[in-house]
Amino acid sequence: MSVLVDKDTKVLVQGMGKTGRFHTDTALAYGTQMVGAVHPSRAGTTEVFEGETDHSGVQGRGDTYHAELPIFRSVAEAVAETGATASVVFVPPPFAADAIMEAAAAGVELVIAITEGIPVADMVIAKRFLVGTDTRLVGPNCPGVITPQECKIGIMPGYIHQPGKIGVVSRSGTLTYEAVYQLTNNGLGQTTAIGIGGDPVNGTNFVDCLSLFNDDPETEGVIMIGEIGGTAEEEAAEWIEQNMTKPVAGFIAGTTAPPGKRMGHAGAIISGGQGTAEAKIAALTKAGVVMAPTPTDMGTAMQEALAAR
Amino acid sequence: MKVHEYQAKKLMKARGIPVPEGRVATTVDAAVAAVRPLMEETGNKVVVVKSQIHAGGRGKGRFNEHPDLGGVTVVTAGIDGGVSAAEEAVRGLAEKMLGSTLVTVQTGPEGKQVNRLYIEQGIGIDRELYLSVLLDRATSRFIIMASTEGGTEIEVVAEETPEKILRVEIDPAFGLLDYQAAQLAHDLGLDGDSHRNGLKFFKTIASAAVELDTDLLEINPLVVTTDGRVMALDGKMSFEANALYRHPEVAEMRDESEEDPAELEASEHGLSFIKLDGSIGCMVNGAGLAMATMDIIKYVGGEPANFLDVGGGATADKVAAAFKIITKDPAVKGIFVNIFGGIMQCDVIAKGVIDAVKEVGLEVPLVVRLEGTNVELGKQLLDESGLDLVSAADMKDGAVKILELTK
């Protein structure tokens, strides 16, 4: 078991430019079922992928892969032809929010938006558009979602992951890789790792992911990695205190971040005294989350949290 | 991206939002020349001389060179003495203000040099209110935040009397609705003319803020004039960098002299860089990891000199540019390169570092921690380069090592 994606998930790519093509290729090497792409200017053509299999991905495959992906004009057409239930968005920022809404209108269940730099006002509209639909948006500005050895959607390096019992949820890309790497080295595999993204408006938040992991029978513990800005971690702390039945470990980046400065991520800013690392760490600690004092201690914090049960 | 008050007011005025009349001046003569037309056009004998810098608290701020002078000063000489007396007073102020350094609660002790003045008509004020439009992250919607407590710092109001902060959510599908504007006007105690003017103000400001892609639009104070008008007496706007491509008229307003030169250079290379006060320079890939690297330097007892995210798709050139920006800072006593290569390959980072050192030299200790994609190749490149560097096993090890080397 896992959350959001598994070996049967059929995935569309929205935006088959250079970046989209590169990450479609690594996903195919990993064994993800990539079934087609939407790129209106190249509709009707086929994109060919081949290379050496990434054996850290889906097991039991040959040493090479070959795939021919049909390119469609619209998401609706692509869904009708391929039966895809998930899409990954690499569309450039000015057009990305529209791509998300198009996918939702076409009934795609899971939309994972990798694109960084989408204007906030566009995302506010996209988020409003999603109200009342059955679509879950992950991201934008995120590394994606991976269920080790089953399905990799996004830009994360597959080989650091290993199947197991830990759910991972994070606002940061490389910090997620750091955490996953430590977990894997400590013998703790992952059920699913979800990057929720570094933007101030995102589709899926910590509480959504904690709830998914809490309900997933395979997941035995969760590590959540937050950062300064907003109050999503405080809301997560409250939810954990009231609902979480599984051990949680955590880390918050940005203890040394000066107020009023945007720390790389559009959402990582302390403003009006809100969103400090101290407040988040205090709230999570109060909720019983085992906090890693430094980013090097994320793996051991998870072990401690598991051992405490 | 921040703009000056006079620029914010220009944008507001173009959208029909009432602001006082004013003229911007970069020289003493231009400041003086602004007085006569301003007094004649408005029939108002009071003018205000306002320093234009990218920081708040200007009224209470003081000049280093003139400790008794505030950054915003009201000139009343025109009431009895007419235009020429007002002109002389403005000349005296402009001579002192232009080129001097204004220190406010937001500039830090080093202050900011004043290169522009805004000469504005005086306004007869009945009440001072507060209004801002900003994103509420919890609901993913823009909100209007308002208060009857204008003129004071809103953070203080929020802390001491949170019940005096009003919040109105703007549904992106419909904009600010009439009943919401009416409720806000009522809650702010507007009546008669000011109520009617308030409704129009709120609806216009809500749509302007969203259409212009502002990060923050703050009007403090928003005033009710003695004749019942509702007017933006001050205006602070910052714009979302990601949306500037669709607002060329705003992008043109960027004042690079207000920005940190190193941060400016970094942004030209597509790097995310923020200058800090410490002595350990860091170069990291990914914003979260870059923050965590600063944190761990502090945790082991050091002080980070900067935040620097080279990004996910950095090239060797970009890495070299980043390295140069760090080494340029005289406060930097050592450098910690911390890379977890996902998409970013370790050999690319290694090549960038080697190239940069070859070009600019290396006079401070360097600790490198590489992990992830092509890590062996990256380490091999560094080993073979003959660079004088120390390898770290993990982040904490790296932080400890660079701290020891810089002591």
Side-chain angles (χ1 to χ4, degrees):
Chain A
M1 277 290 286
S2 56
V3 305
L4 297 177
V5 298
D6 61 26
K7 62 184 191 325
D8 298 320
T9 306
K10 290 197 172 92
V11 187
L12 281 179
V13 182
Q14 293 180 256
M16 187 56 87
K18 192 170 163 245
T19 312
R21 189 184 152 85
F22 177 82
H23 295 294
T24 303
D25 199 29
T26 60
L28 284 163
Y30 195 81
T32 306
Q33 291 202 46
M34 309 301 288
V35 295
V38 179
H39 201 103
S41 63
R42 300 214 300 270
T45 64
T46 303
E47 196 82 0
V48 179
F49 297 87
E50 51 195 359
E52 283 177 28
T53 302
D54 174 358
H55 284 298
S56 74
V58 177
Q59 301 295 290
R61 294 175 300 149
D63 287 334
T64 61
Y65 65 94
H66 176 95
E68 294 178 13
L69 262 53
I71 313 282
F72 299 95
R73 186 189 58 79
S74 70
V75 180
E77 204 179 289
V79 167
E81 291 292 322
T82 63
T85 56
S87 82
V88 56
V89 176
F90 290 106
V91 172
F95 319 107
D98 188 65
I100 292 166
M101 292 188 276
E102 186 192 350
V108 176
E109 291 165 24
L110 176 68
V111 179
I112 298 172
I114 309 298
T115 309
E116 176 172 8
I118 305 177
V120 169
D122 293 7
M123 279 311 303
V124 166
I125 290 170
K127 189 105 189 256
R128 175 71 170 84
F129 186 88
L130 293 178
V131 173
T133 70
D134 296 326
T135 299
R136 172 185 292 286
L137 170 68
V138 174
N141 189 13
C142 79
V145 179
I146 183 169
T147 292
Q149 295 187 359
E150 293 196 32
C151 179
K152 165 180 137 67
I153 305 178
I155 61 174
M156 69 292 279
Y159 74 92
I160 58 173
H161 300 80
Q162 187 179 299
K165 312 275 185 198
I166 305 299
V168 180
V169 54
S170 169
R171 278 170 70 185
S172 150
T174 40
L175 209 44
T176 315
Y177 313 157
E178 187 79 40
V180 165
Y181 187 69
Q182 289 175 27
L183 290 173
T184 297
N185 284 345
N186 287 354
L188 296 171
Q190 305 90 43
T191 45
T192 301
I194 309 169
I196 58 174
D199 274 5
V201 174
N202 57 16
T204 294
N205 60 24
F206 281 118
V207 170
D208 298 327
C209 297
L210 288 163
S211 173
L212 287 169
F213 286 130
N214 208 28
D215 294 342
D216 172 39
E218 288 270 311
T219 301
E220 291 179 1
V222 179
I223 183 159
M224 61 173 277
I225 299 145
E227 62 191 29
I228 55 159
T231 54
E233 290 82 0
E234 284 87 334
E235 286 146 30
E238 206 175 314
W239 192 90
I240 289 168
E241 212 164 359
Q242 287 165 10
N243 304 287
M244 196 74 188
T245 58
K246 299 173 183 178
V248 183
F251 176 72
I252 301 292
T255 310
T256 50
K261 290 277 190 180
R262 221 169 272 285
M263 307 302 282
H265 283 156
I269 180 167
I270 299 167
S271 54
Q274 275 218 323
T276 65
E278 288 73 16
K280 293 173 189 299
I281 292 166
L284 289 166
T285 305
K286 182 173 165 279
V289 176
V290 177
M291 297 303 292
T294 83
T296 303
D297 305 311
M298 292 189 287
T300 45
M302 190 71 250
Q303 283 179 316
E304 267 178 51
L306 290 169
R309 292 293 166 118
Chain B
M1 187 196 90
K2 290 178 182 171
V3 297
H4 291 293
E5 174 198 2
Y6 78 92
Q7 296 168 319
K9 282 180 170 167
K10 188 178 168 195
L11 290 167
M12 285 197 257
K13 192 179 175 188
R15 279 165 181 75
I17 295 160
V19 294
E21 287 298 316
R23 282 176 167 70
V24 68
T26 54
T27 64
V28 174
D29 286 345
V32 173
V35 174
R36 178 176 293 276
L38 205 53
M39 286 175 76
E40 286 176 357
E41 270 168 36
T42 62
N44 198 321
K45 292 179 171 131
V46 177
V47 295
V48 187
V49 181
K50 306 178 94 174
S51 305
Q52 301 294 294
I53 55 169
H54 285 183
R58 292 168 297 159
K60 289 186 182 126
R62 290 292 179 265
F63 288 92
N64 277 345
E65 296 84 350
H66 311 283
D68 298 332
L69 187 60
V72 175
T73 299
V74 179
V75 175
T76 54
I79 297 173
D80 295 330
V83 171
S84 56
E87 283 174 338
E88 276 323 293
V90 168
R91 179 180 298 280
L93 287 171
E95 279 170 352
K96 286 181 177 171
M97 288 176 166
L98 282 171
S100 295
T101 302
L102 182 61
V103 179
T104 80
V105 287
Q106 290 185 12
T107 60
E110 68 278 12
K112 282 198 162 181
Q113 184 173 326
V114 175
N115 300 317
R116 282 181 179 75
L117 297 174
Y118 194 47
I119 318 298
E120 199 173 65
Q121 72 172 121
I123 295 293
I125 300 169
D126 180 27
R127 295 179 61 209
E128 294 194 2
L129 310 171
Y130 170 93
L131 184 141
S132 59
V133 185
L134 69 164
L135 177 74
D136 177 43
R137 294 169 60 153
T139 58
S140 298
R141 291 190 177 181
F142 292 101
I143 58 165
I144 290 182
M145 208 156 98
S147 172
T148 52
E149 307 303 293
T152 46
E153 270 183 72
I154 198 65
E155 286 83 5
V156 176
V157 181
E159 181 73 25
E160 289 171 4
T161 49
E163 72 283 0
K164 289 188 173 166
I165 304 262
L166 307 167
R167 295 159 59 95
V168 184
E169 196 176 296
I170 305 168
D171 187 319
F174 309 111
L176 185 74
L177 296 168
D178 288 346
Y179 84 89
Q180 293 180 298
Q183 184 68 48
L184 183 59
H186 174 266
D187 292 345
L188 288 171
L190 303 181
D191 55 13
D193 282 351
S194 71
H195 186 274
R196 202 168 46 249
N197 290 327
L199 295 186
K200 185 156 177 256
F201 191 99
F202 301 145
K203 293 198 66 157
T204 316
I205 203 86
S207 57
V210 177
E211 280 162 20
L212 282 167
D213 286 295
T214 57
D215 254 353
L216 173 69
L217 188 166
E218 187 177 52
I219 299 170
N220 190 18
L222 169 73
V223 297
V224 180
T225 65
T226 43
D227 55 357
R229 288 177 296 161
V230 174
M231 191 179 258
L233 198 63
D234 194 6
K236 184 172 156 187
M237 278 191 190
S238 66
F239 297 87
E240 198 204 339
N242 290 335
L244 279 177
Y245 72 88
R246 56 190 180 199
H247 304 291
E249 82 283 14
V250 174
E252 271 175 18
M253 291 179 170
R254 182 168 182 179
D255 180 357
E256 295 186 345
S257 71
E258 288 282 333
E259 297 174 35
D260 180 90
E263 291 180 15
L264 194 63
E265 187 186 345
S267 77
E268 280 161 10
H269 289 283
L271 300 163
S272 185
F273 174 88
I274 291 164
K275 174 88 184 74
L276 300 170
D277 296 331
S279 60
I280 298 177
C282 2
M283 183 169 91
V284 190
N285 67 326
L289 195 63
M291 268 188 275
T293 304
M294 290 159 39
D295 296 347
I296 205 163
I297 288 169
K298 176 96 174 173
Y299 183 85
V300 301
E303 290 289 342
N306 65 276
F307 165 93
L308 199 162
D309 170 15
V310 291
T315 57
D317 284 352
K318 214 164 152 182
V319 171
F323 202 79
K324 282 183 224 164
I325 290 167
I326 297 173
T327 50
K328 217 181 262 181
D329 180 357
V332 168
K333 301 280 179 271
I335 300 171
F336 180 22
V337 174
N338 180 24
I339 302 296
F340 198 107
I343 299 320
M344 167 71 102
Q345 293 163 352
C346 291
D347 53 321
V348 172
I349 291 277
K351 192 171 177 313
V353 171
I354 295 164
D355 288 353
V357 172
K358 273 187 189 150
E359 202 182 322
V360 297
L362 180 65
E363 284 162 13
V364 294
L366 172 66
V367 172
V368 179
R369 180 267 179 147
L370 287 181
E371 199 57 76
T373 309
N374 291 358
V375 60
E376 292 312 323
L377 190 55
K379 284 181 177 167
Q380 189 188 332
L381 282 175
L382 289 175
D383 285 346
E384 290 168 358
S385 72
L387 282 191
D388 184 16
L389 60 84
V390 176
S391 290
D394 60 34
M395 281 175 82
K396 199 186 273 174
D397 182 46
V400 168
K401 280 181 173 156
I402 192 66
L403 184 66
E404 279 169 4
L405 290 168
T406 53
K407 263 182 184 164

